[in-house]
């Protein structure tokens, strides 16, 4: 089961109380206060790991609590610090406050770590309160409470290319044809139920990652269908490929399909609609007299949009598509590096 969003509660440990104690030893008159400090409470720490690909484990455990610090004791002994709790998350997980929407952290690399709840401080023992006028202090400090948060975790897949299209546009078949990914594919109208990732090699030592996103439908930005639920997974992509079915059996006009997709992306996130993209006509082996393919190609030429056509069944155009995408991704990576430097 693919789970990409979950809400949990985290609670750090409480700090241990300071001690109120006085030194009692033979031949040591007026030993004075020797109460030790309490130990700090444990933290709750989130760490990104490539070993995980889903938030499924967190669906069954919704509460994470670190250990409390131990109280101090006599002879100026400090209490033990509470044990911290480390929670592993998939790479690409964004951590938000459930109520305010504040972004705590975005774990985009393997090993990235963030403390989401800090343990309370241990209280001071009475040895800290001795003065020249108060040689027998009885006051000490209580430990403070650890932080507690309700969080929303959102997994956004890390991919270079996002395949966006209506159900049955050929996204799953395409990713299966150009990579080792094996998504579920049906001979009847069917939409992908979970995102799929595939690694595509376009040179001996070069590759890019493609994400197959569940099909959009008109009104997706209003919550219709599954596409809206998974559009977050194309937020990190550098390039979008709009797949348009141009076969004879396609119900919708190809140009209308493209325009609706662009409107849905803009309604979901205006920044996403400005992402570099290309138009890919699919199923050209079943295009019939080709008038649908020609109409889409003519539209893209008039709008000066990058256009490619492929058939996953016959593999026509796949080499050209892989080469184009590989070169475009290299350009975008170089631009991103220049912007950072």
């Amino acid at each position: 089961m693919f789970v990409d969003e979950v809400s949990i509660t985290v609670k750090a440990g409480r700090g241990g109380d300071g001690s109120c104690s006085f030194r009692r030893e033979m031949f040591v008159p007026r030993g004075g206060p020797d109460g030790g400090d309490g130990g700090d409470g444990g933290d709750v720490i989130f760490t990104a790991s490539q070993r995980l690909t889903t938030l499924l484990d967190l669906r069954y455990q919704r509460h994470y609590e670190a250990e409390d610090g131990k109280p101090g004791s006599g002879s100026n002994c400090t209490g033990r610090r509470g044990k911290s709790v480390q929670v592993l998350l998939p790479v690409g997980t964004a951590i938000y406050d459930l109520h305010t929407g504040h972004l705590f952290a975005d774990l985009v690399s393997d090993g990235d770590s963030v403390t989401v709840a800090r343990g309370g401080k241990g209280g001071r023992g009475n040895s800290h309160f001795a003065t020249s006028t108060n040689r027998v202090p009885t006051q000490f400090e209580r430990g403070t409470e650890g932080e507690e948060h309700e969080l929303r975790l959102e997994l956004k897949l890390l991919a270079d290319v996002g395949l966006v299209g209506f159900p049955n546009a050929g996204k799953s078949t395409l990713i299966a044809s150009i990579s080792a990914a094996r998504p579920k594919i049906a001979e009847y109208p069917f939409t992908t139920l979970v995102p799929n990732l595939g690694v595509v090699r376009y040179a001996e030592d070069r590759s890019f990652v493609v994400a197959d996103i569940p099909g959009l439908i008109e009104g997706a930005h209003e919550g219709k269908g599954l596409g809206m639920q998974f559009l977050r997974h194309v937020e990190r992509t550098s390039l979008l490929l709009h797949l348009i079915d141009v076969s004879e059996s396609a119900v919708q006009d190809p140009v209308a399909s493209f325009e609706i997709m662009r409107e849905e992306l803009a309604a979901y996130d205006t920044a996403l609609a400005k992402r570099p993209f290309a138009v890919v006509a699919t199923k050209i082996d079943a295009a019939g007299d080709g008038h649908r393919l020609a109409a889409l190609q003519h539209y893209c030429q008039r709008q000066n949009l990058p256009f490619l056509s492929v058939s996953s069944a016959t593999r026509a155009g796949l080499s050209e598509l892989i080469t184009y995408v590989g070169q475009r991704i290299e350009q975008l990576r170089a631009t991103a590096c220049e912007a950072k430097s």
Side-chain angles (χ1 to χ4, degrees):
M1 181 185 296
F2 184 88
V3 177
D4 63 352
E5 186 173 6
V6 68
S7 299
I8 65 171
T9 301
V10 295
K11 187 178 187 306
R14 180 183 180 278
D17 296 337
S19 171
C20 181
S21 173
F22 294 91
R23 187 175 181 186
R24 295 286 189 271
E25 285 187 51
M26 188 178 295
F27 309 118
V28 184
R30 295 183 297 278
D34 68 348
D37 300 342
D40 294 341
D43 302 327
V44 180
I45 303 167
F46 287 168
T47 302
S49 172
Q50 290 181 335
R51 292 180 294 168
L52 301 178
T53 57
T54 174
L55 296 172
L56 179 62
D57 291 346
L58 279 73
R59 169 172 282 189
Y60 301 111
Q61 183 176 348
R62 298 292 185 98
H63 187 80
Y64 294 86
E65 186 170 349
E67 185 182 35
D68 293 340
K70 301 302 181 184
S73 58
S75 302
N76 289 308
C77 291
T78 300
R80 181 172 62 81
R81 177 184 174 86
K83 293 181 180 178
S84 296
V85 170
Q86 185 179 58
V87 182
L88 296 181
L89 302 176
V91 174
T93 301
I95 305 163
Y96 299 91
D97 183 281
L98 181 62
H99 302 291
T100 67
H102 168 72
L103 177 65
F104 272 90
D106 198 359
L107 308 181
V108 297
S109 300
D110 186 43
D112 281 356
S113 187
V114 61
T115 300
V116 293
R118 297 191 177 277
K121 300 295 292 183
R124 293 183 296 171
N126 68 333
S127 61
H128 289 276
F129 298 94
T131 66
S132 59
T133 58
N134 183 16
R135 301 195 176 190
V136 189
T138 57
Q139 65 263 46
F140 63 94
E141 288 179 344
R142 300 285 185 184
T144 60
E145 292 293 333
E147 294 178 344
E148 183 173 5
H149 300 290
E150 290 183 291
L151 305 174
R152 178 172 59 86
L153 308 182
E154 198 173 90
L155 174 60
K156 301 176 183 180
L157 297 180
L158 300 177
D160 299 301
V161 183
L163 304 183
V164 183
F166 283 97
N168 210 37
K171 299 183 300 299
S172 297
T173 306
L174 176 62
I175 197 173
S177 300
I178 63 177
S179 75
R182 290 295 175 264
K184 182 177 179 181
I185 300 171
E187 296 180 358
Y188 50 88
F190 171 82
T191 186
T192 302
L193 300 179
V194 300
N196 295 287
L197 286 181
V199 178
V200 181
R201 293 196 176 277
Y202 63 96
E204 185 176 347
D205 59 347
R206 296 176 184 176
S207 63
F208 56 84
V209 180
V210 180
D212 162 27
I213 308 303
L216 288 176
I217 63 172
E218 188 171 4
H221 70 279
E222 299 173 344
K224 297 180 180 178
L226 291 173
M228 175 66 174
Q229 180 181 351
F230 293 109
L231 271 175
R232 67 172 68 95
H233 296 297
V234 296
E235 289 181 19
R236 300 188 196 274
T237 57
S238 303
L239 177 69
L240 299 178
L241 295 183
H242 291 290
L243 271 58
I244 312 291
D245 182 359
V246 296
S247 67
E248 286 182 305
S249 59
V251 176
Q252 200 156 21
D253 175 74
V255 174
S257 297
F258 171 73
E259 292 178 340
I260 291 172
M261 273 191 282
R262 298 302 298 172
E263 291 172 1
E264 293 301 329
L265 286 179
Y268 174 77
D269 185 348
T270 54
L272 192 59
K274 297 175 183 177
R275 196 71 46 85
F277 69 90
V279 180
V280 181
T282 63
K283 306 183 183 180
I284 59 174
D285 58 296
D289 60 9
H291 74 278
R292 296 170 59 86
L293 174 61
L296 181 60
Q297 186 173 13
H298 181 61
Y299 173 87
C300 291
Q301 289 173 345
R302 284 191 290 109
Q303 300 292 327
N304 197 26
L305 302 177
F307 175 82
L308 301 103
S309 58
V310 300
S311 167
S312 298
T314 65
R315 303 194 64 83
L318 292 186
S319 296
E320 292 81 357
L321 174 67
I322 292 172
T323 300
Y324 168 81
V325 173
Q327 293 175 348
R328 190 75 178 95
I329 290 297
E330 281 203 9
Q331 294 171 359
L332 294 172
R333 287 173 179 169
T335 302
C337 289
E338 290 176 3
K340 291 180 180 178
S341 60

